[in-house]
């Protein structure tokens, strides 16, 4: 059961926040004084990061603590795994790495990205590393170990340290002294932090080890970092130093831990998909690491405030807010918050939540993206009595997404916005259907068709830019033209479905060594391919095209008619096609890829290997 509090908030009265000078730079053009955008920007090709309006390209960059890789044309290839440009810090999936790296000849152990040197305790063993951080191959069991929790809240007043004697065979008695100091791991070096000596110990046993029947194998002590530091710790790795002596020998034990924020605010999802016509709901997880009673989950529900902002060229702008709901699972020090808002101009892009909890503001970034969808043709003719618009929808993300398959809403671009054409040209006053969806797996794609002529009277439409709204994808654009087209430009326009025996599409891989065939005689695939071929438009080719283009994967379309004849298309470059073995024509650049996608989809080939980009 969850304790849950609902709060529907009005639009926040706070003024629109602007990004600091570090985030926005002002153009040198003093006449306009227009700020140049710094931040993430996306289009159908992927994501770019603009610095004063110029994208990072052919490089690795650290952005908000995460390392990303960029292509020659400035599109993000994903996060980095490897060394920074200085060669001093190692990153795993974009974040400083803690753990082993390298192979047998060059193994290193990194702490927050930086290799450790000298003797370093990992678990119950002491490992030896040279001055460059390379593991020497030497390790030994740790006779004495000092340990505490792997992570400690930065506001902790007390840390419990356990000193343990792991070897009872040598009869040596060890004297444990009070911890002398604490050090912070900064840029690959341990540096002393704090000056206070007002730390305290609880219940320490001063002797450990070989004392016969009175031997003591472990003891606990308490160290007070808040007193030692004179306040809260900053985030990062620390070690408390515990002096040990036996006979004339003295050594130090180290209790290593990581200081984490008392309260951590994270988005529950990394990517949100733009629907463009509806509100967006975001989920926020609040992890409470602090042990203080004032920061218990049930006490933080009151006083929560949530604001969502969008990054624009002029700074951060507040989005229209529709309230939030907050609650916490029983016996867990965690809050779960969901907020509803309407995305601002452009819909896709970078956003952030500003959450006030416990009287303190926390910022968590997220982005709204769209599924990559492209029309199969550049434009469709209003002179055609039956218009069916087909799209290829691709999931470029690393997780599955749900998209709607009911394509019924037509929009026209007017005055920079989208006008719903239902009242202007809709054949029905209201279209009532049960919405249907499909789950599109990571890296996969599918084809969707929009029977425009069935739902809209094309005689009431004018040429221009249009779009169909695909749920979970957004507005997908295409063009309608009213130009008088020549019949010879549409070689399949006169085809009738009842005259066709078979439609076959063949992809030749690796030259002609391997081919994938899709054959349709009836059913939905037949209808979709028929609608598509019927609207294909070609023009005479002026330039010469080669039939032996290097790296080309030819595609062939064969339409067999019931009268024994056939019509053929042979694509040997992306926009060059041989029709019926005769002249060479050119067509839309989308035609060949769309037909190829159709073959792959029909044969259920693993589509994760067919050209997708990583995103940040």
């Amino acid at each position: 059961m969850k304790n849950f509090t609902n709060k529907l908030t009005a639009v926040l009265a706070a003024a629109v926040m602007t990004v600091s000078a570090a985030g926005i730079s002002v153009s040198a053009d003093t006449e306009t004084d227009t700020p140049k955008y710094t931040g993430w920007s996306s289009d159908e090709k992927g994501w770019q990061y603009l610095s004063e309006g110029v994208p990072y390209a052919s490089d690795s960059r650290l952005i908000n603590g995460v390392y990303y890789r960029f292509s020659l044309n400035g599109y993000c290839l994903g996060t980095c795994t490897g060394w920074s440009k200085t060669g001093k810090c190692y990153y795993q999936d974009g974040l400083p790495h803690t753990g082993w790296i390298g192979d047998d000849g060059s193994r290193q152990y990194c702490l927050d990205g930086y290799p450790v040197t000298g003797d370093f305790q990992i678990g119950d063993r002491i490992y030896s590393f040279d001055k460059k951080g390379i593991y020497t191959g030497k390790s030994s069991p740790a006779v004495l170990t000092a340990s505490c929790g792997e992570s400690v809240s930065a506001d902790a007043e007390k840390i419990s340290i356990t000193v343990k004697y792991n070897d009872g065979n040598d009869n040596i008695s060890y004297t444990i002294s009070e911890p002398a100091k604490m050090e912070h791991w900064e840029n690959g070096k341990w540096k002393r932090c704090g000056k206070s000596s007002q730390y305290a110990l609880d219940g320490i046993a001063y002797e450990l080890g070989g004392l016969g029947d009175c031997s003591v194998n472990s003891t606990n002590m308490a160290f007070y970092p808040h007193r030692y530091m004179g306040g809260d710790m900053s985030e990062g790795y620390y070690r408390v130093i515990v002096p040990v002596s036996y006979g004339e020998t003295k050594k130090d034990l180290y209790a290593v831990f990581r200081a984490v924020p008392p309260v951590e605010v994270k988005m529950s999802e990394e990517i949100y998909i733009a629907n463009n016509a509806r509100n967006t709901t975001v989920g926020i997880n609040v992890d409470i690491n602090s042990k203080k009673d004032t920061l218990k989950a049930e006490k933080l529900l009151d006083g929560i405030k949530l604001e969502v902002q969008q990054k624009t060229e002029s700074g951060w702008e507040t989005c229209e807010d529709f309230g939030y709901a907050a609650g916490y699972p029983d016996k867990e020090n965690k809050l779960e918050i969901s907020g509803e808002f309407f995305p601002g101009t452009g819909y896709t892009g970078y956003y952030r939540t500003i959450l006030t909890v416990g009287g303190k503001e926390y910022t968590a970034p997220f982005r709204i993206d769209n599924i990559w969808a492209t029309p199969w043709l550049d434009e469709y003719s209003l002179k055609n009595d039956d218009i069916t618009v087909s799209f290829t929808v691709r999931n470029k993300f690393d997780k599955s997404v749900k998209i709607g398959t009911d394509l019924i809403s037509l929009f026209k671009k007017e005055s920079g916005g989208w006008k719903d054409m239902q009242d202007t040209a809709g054949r029905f006053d209201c279209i009532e259907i049960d919405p249907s969806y499909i789950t599109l797996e990571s890296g996969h794609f599918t084809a969707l068709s929009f029977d425009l002529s069935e739902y809209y009277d094309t005689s009431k439409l004018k040429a221009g830019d249009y779009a169909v709204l695909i749920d979970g994808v957004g507005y997908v654009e295409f063009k309608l033209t009213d130009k008088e087209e020549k019949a010879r430009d549409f070689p399949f326009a006169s085809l009738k479905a009842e005259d066709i025996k078979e439609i076959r599409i063949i992809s030749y891989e690796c030259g002609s060594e391997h081919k994938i065939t899709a054959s349709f005689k009836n059913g939905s695939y037949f209808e979709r391919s028929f609608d598509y071929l019927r609207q294909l438009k070609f023009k005479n080719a002026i330039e010469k095209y080669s039939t032996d283009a290097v790296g080309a994967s030819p595609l062939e379309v064969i339409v067999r008619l019931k009268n024994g004849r056939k019509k053929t298309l042979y694509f040997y470059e992306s926009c060059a096609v041989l029709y019926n073995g005769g002249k060479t024509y050119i067509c839309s650049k989308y035609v060949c890829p769309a037909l190829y996608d159709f073959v792959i989809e029909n044969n259920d080939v693993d589509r994760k290997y067919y050209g997708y980009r990583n995103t940040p």
Side-chain angles (χ1 to χ4, degrees), residues 20-21 23-30 32-38 52:
S20 66
I24 288 289
S25 297
V26 179
S27 169
D29 186 352
T30 56
T32 60
D33 198 33
T34 302
K36 292 185 178 180
Y37 180 67
T38 292
E52 298 183 24

Side-chain angles (χ1 to χ4, degrees), residues 263-517:
V263 176
E264 292 182 278
V265 176
K266 299 177 182 178
M267 304 301 298
S268 60
E269 298 285 345
E270 293 183 358
I271 301 174
Y272 293 90
I273 305 302
N275 282 317
N276 298 80
R278 293 200 304 272
N279 301 336
T280 297
T281 300
V282 293
I284 307 169
N285 289 329
V286 180
D287 292 325
I288 304 170
N289 302 309
S290 176
K291 303 299 182 183
K292 293 183 177 180
D293 289 338
T294 55
L295 293 180
K296 294 295 182 183
E298 61 270 24
K299 294 185 178 181
L300 294 179
L301 284 178
D302 293 332
I304 290 179
K305 295 180 181 179
L306 178 64
E307 180 180 0
V308 180
Q309 297 180 340
Q310 181 187 18
K311 183 70 174 292
T312 68
E313 292 191 5
S314 59
W316 291 98
E317 296 184 1
T318 300
C319 300
E320 187 176 0
D321 172 38
F322 292 96
Y324 72 88
Y328 64 92
D330 287 340
K331 299 181 181 179
E332 290 187 21
N333 223 18
K334 176 180 293 195
L335 290 176
E336 296 174 349
I337 301 170
S338 63
E340 187 179 7
F341 73 101
F342 188 78
T345 304
Y347 300 100
T348 61
Y350 257 72
Y351 293 75
R352 67 182 183 183
T353 59
I354 299 179
L355 178 68
T356 301
V357 57
K360 186 176 180 180
E361 283 189 355
Y362 299 89
T363 300
F366 67 98
R367 74 174 186 263
I368 294 181
D369 208 336
N370 55 5
I371 300 295
W372 183 22
T374 54
W376 285 9
L377 301 178
D378 287 324
E379 60 185 23
Y380 296 81
S381 174
L382 287 169
K383 301 298 182 180
N384 194 325
D385 294 333
D386 186 5
I387 301 175
T388 301
V389 185
S390 295
F391 305 92
T392 295
V393 183
R394 300 175 184 269
N395 179 9
K396 60 186 177 181
F397 304 122
D398 58 2
K399 62 181 179 181
S400 61
V401 295
K402 187 172 73 172
I403 62 172
T405 56
D406 305 301
L407 278 56
I408 57 176
S409 300
L410 178 67
F411 297 85
K412 187 175 188 296
K413 183 170 284 187
E414 292 185 0
S415 303
W418 291 109
K419 178 184 177 182
D420 191 338
M421 300 305 293
Q422 172 64 35
D423 294 337
T424 302
R427 293 187 184 276
F428 311 99
D429 293 335
C430 181
I431 303 174
E432 295 185 1
I433 59 174
D434 293 328
S436 59
Y437 297 87
I438 61 172
T439 297
L440 201 57
E441 299 297 331
S442 172
H444 285 205
F445 54 83
T446 190
L448 296 178
S449 295
F450 171 46
D451 195 339
L452 188 152
S453 301
E454 178 181 352
Y455 297 115
Y456 295 88
D457 184 349
T458 56
S459 66
K460 298 180 179 180
L461 298 177
K462 296 181 180 180
D465 294 323
Y466 288 80
V468 61
L469 179 65
I470 303 177
D471 193 9
V473 176
Y475 294 111
V476 184
E477 300 183 41
F478 60 93
K479 291 181 180 294
L480 291 178
T481 177
D482 58 2
K483 294 180 181 178
E484 195 67 44
E485 304 290 356
K486 298 179 181 179
R488 68 167 183 259
D489 293 339
F490 295 88
F492 292 93
S494 61
L495 281 180
K496 295 182 180 180
E498 57 267 25
D499 295 332
I500 299 176
K501 180 179 180 181
E502 178 192 31
I503 298 175
R504 178 176 294 183
I505 307 174
I506 307 172
S507 172
Y508 296 94
E509 304 289 338
C510 302
S512 298
E513 296 179 7
H514 178 64
K515 67 179 182 180
I516 306 174
T517 302

Side-chain angles (χ1 to χ4, degrees), residues 71 74 98 111 126-127 148 214 217 232 326 592:
S71 66
T98 294
L111 194 64
I126 304 296
Y127 293 81
C148 54
C214 299
N217 292 326
D232 292 349
C592 188

Side-chain angles (χ1 to χ4, degrees), residues 40-223:
W40 290 105
S41 176
S42 69
D43 57 27
E44 70 278 3
K45 295 180 181 179
W47 282 86
Q48 293 181 309
Y49 190 85
L50 306 182
S51 176
E52 298 183 24
V54 179
Y56 289 152
S58 186
D59 201 355
S60 298
R61 295 290 184 126
L62 186 65
I63 303 171
N64 298 327
V66 181
Y67 247 109
Y68 297 100
R69 296 181 298 119
F70 295 90
S71 66
L72 288 171
N73 57 358
Y75 287 96
C76 185
L77 300 174
T79 54
C80 285
T81 292
W83 294 99
S84 64
K85 289 187 288 186
T86 62
K88 294 182 179 180
C89 187
Y90 188 85
Y91 287 81
Q92 179 73 41
D93 296 328
L95 298 175
H97 179 62
T98 294
W100 289 99
I101 62 170
D103 52 27
D104 292 340
S106 60
R107 291 189 75 195
Q108 295 176 286
Y109 188 87
C110 291
L111 194 64
D112 210 21
Y114 292 91
V116 298
T117 59
D119 291 340
F120 188 78
Q121 178 186 325
I122 305 172
D124 289 340
R125 295 189 68 85
I126 304 296
Y127 293 81
S128 178
F129 299 88
D130 65 19
K131 293 181 179 180
K132 294 183 179 180
I134 305 298
Y135 174 47
T136 63
K138 298 179 181 180
S139 68
S140 60
V143 176
L144 289 172
T145 56
S147 61
C148 54
E150 291 184 3
S151 63
V152 175
S153 178
D155 68 349
E157 295 186 358
K158 182 175 75 172
I159 298 175
S160 179
I161 300 173
T162 299
V163 180
K164 185 178 179 181
Y165 176 60
N166 301 303
D167 188 351
N169 298 322
D170 55 10
N171 292 322
I172 298 177
S173 177
Y174 295 89
T175 300
I176 312 299
S177 301
E178 296 178 349
K181 58 184 178 181
M182 185 169 71
E183 296 178 331
H184 187 206
W185 181 252
E186 299 179 22
N187 300 324
K189 302 290 184 182
W190 289 109
K191 297 183 179 180
R192 183 169 180 174
C193 53
K195 298 180 180 179
S196 172
S197 60
Q198 296 180 21
Y199 45 81
L201 305 173
D202 293 339
I204 185 170
Y206 288 96
E207 302 294 331
L208 292 183
L211 297 177
D213 294 338
C214 299
S215 64
V216 179
N217 292 326
S218 66
T219 188
N220 295 320
M221 62 184 70
F223 183 79

